Amino acid sequence: MGLARIVFSGLAALVIHDVVDVGSAIRVHARTRAGEVGCPACGVLTRRVHSYHLRTVADVPVDGREVIVKVRVRRLRCLEEQCVLGSFREQVPDLLERHQRRTIRLNAQVAATVRELAGRASARVLPVLGVVLSRWTALRALMRIPLPAMDVPRVLGIDDFALRRSHEYATILIDAETGRRIDVIPTRLSQPVQDWLTAHPGAEIVCRDGSGAYSDAITQALPAAIQVSDRWHLWHGLGEAIRKEVAGHATCWTPAVGLATGLQDGPRAATTRDRWQQVHGLLDAGVGLLDCSRRLGLALNTVKRYARVEQPEQLRRAHQYRPTLVDPYRDHLRARRAEQPGIPLTHLLAEIRELGYQGSSNLLVRYINQGRLDGDRSHLSPRKAARLLLTNPANLSDVQQKTVAQLSGACAEMTALTSLITSFAALLTPCDANDTQLDAWITAVREADLPSVHSFSRGLDLDRAAVDAGLTLPHHNGRTEGVNNKIKLLKRQMYGRAGFDLLRHRILLN
């Protein structure tokens, strides 16, 4: 029994009579200790026994096997004649709770597991540890875990996430300074968010993205709160505008980086030219953009894209190849073919492999036979070119820095674009003078012929107070984005089949 006291020290509140090995489980026979117990109704102490009852509970596993505890508990008679109970069954503090089939410490282990794994995964993992329960029991144990108290922070972070992508969204609210989850609202509409903020005042600063719905809700519910536009979203919005501008000037920078000068031609190019003529013909006649969209059967954004450019060639794209492993050795192959036109492919393959080529011989054969060695089509897409322009120069290789220099010098618009990227990147480090510098940046944008960046700057003007706060204050929505990433993990963990109540519970517990 000395070993039993060590192994089952968590049952010290009981008197253990016997421990039986029944194969797949260990059965412990015990009873409660004699002594006075207070009545749960009136508090009068009593030790008068009315009867005995047997409770069967599960305890933490031992040796990977389930532990079943058979406990004899007393039903005691209250000594107070006026007591409403008359008799009651004794409980064991810190070990057994009323109506529970598991000890408190086993419940704690189960709760820790289901908190991380939820239903099905917990039901698969726990039996390996010696705890047998169904996925439904696991879910009930999860939903019984109390949620932390809702305490509205000084700096509130708000963002949306998808319940069903492109169909249904919800809103997450967190403490932007600590990452603590505050609440989840089952929609991203303005009115429910406004109602929540009205019912839970106290936030002095609210970090958000460029959402107009959140802006309106915060303005109506918390007019004194400072709204902070997230800097990452500002940079992302500029990046989308830069990508469009780079794509629109592909005919300028492709020859500048030593690539193709020809434009894609064919039925698509002819359609682009015809649509440009139709759109500009209507605009010259005084027809509005929305009316153009209706007459031509095109989306309004498509009409705007055609209306921004002065020539249809700006909408056409340069020929492009996908990058391959042979591209870095293109100049060497060209030089060797020029020196020795009849050089065998096997010799070329051996030479570039000495230089570090790791591709197959078949790839080299197709590269040469398709004319890619002698052709000038681009393997630099507008998206990759925009990414190079948006990357910190300190993080670029020498070859990439050379490409950026060629891109920025391709035309006056690309030069202005590069300068605007550099000056806006400097604004992303919070500083008190950034709001004044943003005025100068917007003025420079309006002087440049960059329609997509013009559109981005107009968006900044519409949300100027929040943008100024984002560029001058240290607060941001980074932790909210991190919580959104964790929410994606929780959804995938439950195969996207969790109801909102269960998903909200897990979000707030994590």
Side-chain angles (χ1 to χ4, degrees):
M1 293 304 292
L3 180 61
R5 293 191 186 94
I6 296 174
V7 175
F8 301 105
S9 59
L11 304 178
L14 304 176
V15 178
I16 299 177
H17 292 298
D18 194 13
V19 179
V20 182
D21 184 352
V22 294
S24 60
I26 297 175
R27 185 173 298 160
V28 178
H29 297 274
R31 63 173 175 83
T32 57
R33 296 184 180 275
E36 294 182 328
V37 178
C39 175
C42 62
V44 174
L45 296 177
T46 179
R47 65 170 59 190
R48 182 180 298 177
V49 178
H50 177 277
S51 58
Y52 293 96
H53 299 271
L54 191 64
R55 288 187 65 179
T56 302
V57 296
D59 194 23
V60 294
V62 173
D63 193 27
R65 291 186 289 175
E66 186 180 10
V67 174
I68 306 299
V69 183
K70 301 282 188 177
V71 186
R72 193 192 73 171
V73 297
R74 299 174 295 173
R75 176 174 286 277
L76 301 172
R77 188 183 300 276
C78 183
L79 300 179
E80 177 62 41
E81 296 182 357
Q82 304 299 325
C83 182
V84 295
L85 287 182
S87 65
F88 60 93
R89 184 180 296 182
E90 67 176 333
Q91 305 300 319
V92 183
D94 300 327
L95 181 63
L96 297 178
E97 292 181 340
R98 190 178 301 275
H99 308 304
Q100 291 297 304
R101 302 298 298 272
R102 292 185 293 271
T103 60
I104 292 177
R105 61 176 182 168
L106 179 58
N107 273 332
Q109 291 188 6
V110 170
T113 303
V114 299
R115 180 174 181 167
E116 297 297 329
L117 301 179
R120 291 178 185 270
S122 297
R124 291 192 296 266
V125 171
L126 285 172
V128 179
L129 304 178
V131 182
V132 180
L133 79 172
S134 68
R135 61 189 176 100
W136 305 111
T137 303
L139 290 178
R140 287 194 295 270
L142 173 60
M143 297 301 290
R144 278 198 299 268
I145 301 176
L147 294 176
M150 185 182 299
D151 184 18
V152 179
R154 185 181 72 90
V155 183
L156 184 68
I158 183 170
D159 199 5
D160 63 337
F161 65 92
L163 297 175
R164 292 178 57 222
R165 191 172 181 85
S166 301
H167 291 84
E168 189 177 358
Y169 288 81
T171 298
I172 177 72
L173 300 106
I174 73 164
D175 186 335
E177 293 182 308
T178 65
R180 178 174 55 89
R181 284 68 162 163
I182 303 300
D183 203 355
V184 183
I185 306 174
T187 180
R188 63 176 179 181
L189 299 178
S190 177
Q191 189 59 47
V193 175
Q194 177 183 334
D195 294 341
W196 190 95
L197 294 173
T198 303
H200 303 84
E204 300 175 7
I205 300 173
V206 182
C207 301
R208 57 169 177 81
D209 56 15
S211 170
Y214 291 152
S215 175
D216 294 340
I218 298 168
T219 301
Q220 295 297 325
L222 303 172
I226 300 174
Q227 299 187 40
V228 177
S229 185
D230 186 54
R231 292 186 291 277
W232 182 90
H233 287 91
L234 295 177
W235 183 249
H236 178 71
L238 176 64
E240 289 298 309
I242 297 301
R243 181 182 61 80
K244 295 176 183 178
E245 292 293 348
V246 170
H249 291 84
T251 54
C252 300
W253 56 260
T254 46
V257 295
L259 301 172
T261 57
L263 296 172
Q264 292 180 358
D265 208 349
R268 179 176 294 180
T271 301
T272 298
R273 190 182 306 109
D274 293 341
R275 283 183 175 175
W276 182 89
Q277 293 174 352
Q278 291 172 353
V279 170
H280 279 264
L282 291 174
L283 292 176
D284 293 341
V287 180
L289 291 174
L290 184 57
D291 201 6
C292 285
S293 171
R294 292 169 178 169
R295 292 189 187 189
L296 299 177
L298 300 175
L300 179 59
N301 286 337
T302 302
V303 174
K304 290 180 180 178
R305 182 163 56 89
Y306 278 89
R308 288 192 188 109
V309 299
E310 297 180 356
Q311 298 296 330
E313 285 73 17
Q314 293 179 259
L315 293 168
R316 296 165 62 191
R317 299 293 178 257
H319 290 289
Q320 181 183 329
Y321 275 133
R322 290 182 181 273
T324 70
L325 295 175
V326 186
D327 288 332
Y329 313 99
R330 185 179 183 182
D331 294 338
H332 175 80
L333 294 172
R334 278 185 171 181
R336 294 291 289 124
R337 289 284 291 263
E339 294 173 1
Q340 189 177 351
I343 184 172
L345 289 175
T346 54
H347 292 183
L348 294 175
L349 178 63
E351 291 177 6
I352 63 176
R353 277 188 172 162
E354 291 180 359
L355 297 175
Y357 174 66
Q358 297 181 348
S360 66
S361 59
N362 187 40
L363 178 60
L364 176 61
V365 171
R366 286 189 285 112
Y367 190 89
I368 295 176
N369 290 343
Q370 291 173 359
R372 296 188 61 170
L373 180 61
D374 301 319
D376 288 322
R377 292 190 179 183
S378 171
H379 59 268
L380 183 66
S381 67
R383 184 178 293 275
K384 291 182 179 178
R387 186 170 60 193
L388 289 176
L389 293 174
L390 291 164
T391 302
N392 187 342
N395 298 329
L396 296 175
S397 64
D398 294 339
V399 175
Q400 290 174 331
Q401 289 180 1
K402 180 181 177 181
T403 303
V404 169
Q406 293 169 339
L407 289 169
S408 60
C411 61
E413 288 78 9
M414 291 295 294
T415 303
L417 190 65
T418 306
S419 175
L420 290 173
I421 293 173
T422 303
S423 55
F424 192 85
L427 298 177
L428 297 179
T429 301
C431 176
D432 293 338
N434 279 350
D435 52 352
T436 304
Q437 295 176 9
L438 181 61
D439 290 330
W441 187 86
I442 293 176
T443 302
V445 168
R446 290 170 179 168
E447 294 174 354
D449 184 17
L450 301 169
S452 296
V453 185
H454 289 178
S455 177
F456 171 73
S457 66
R458 286 193 294 271
L460 297 182
D461 282 333
L462 294 175
D463 198 21
R464 186 58 191 274
V467 172
D468 286 346
L471 298 179
T472 56
L473 298 178
H475 307 292
H476 56 82
N477 231 18
R479 289 187 175 86
T480 314
E481 297 295 335
V483 171
N484 276 349
N485 279 338
K486 183 62 178 291
I487 291 174
K488 293 176 184 178
L489 171 65
L490 297 179
K491 288 170 57 183
R492 292 186 180 114
Q493 199 177 60
M494 296 183 287
Y495 298 92
R497 294 184 294 184
F500 176 77
D501 291 338
L502 176 58
L503 181 60
R504 175 181 179 273
H505 203 82
R506 292 202 68 193
I507 291 172
L508 297 181
L509 286 177
N510 278 274

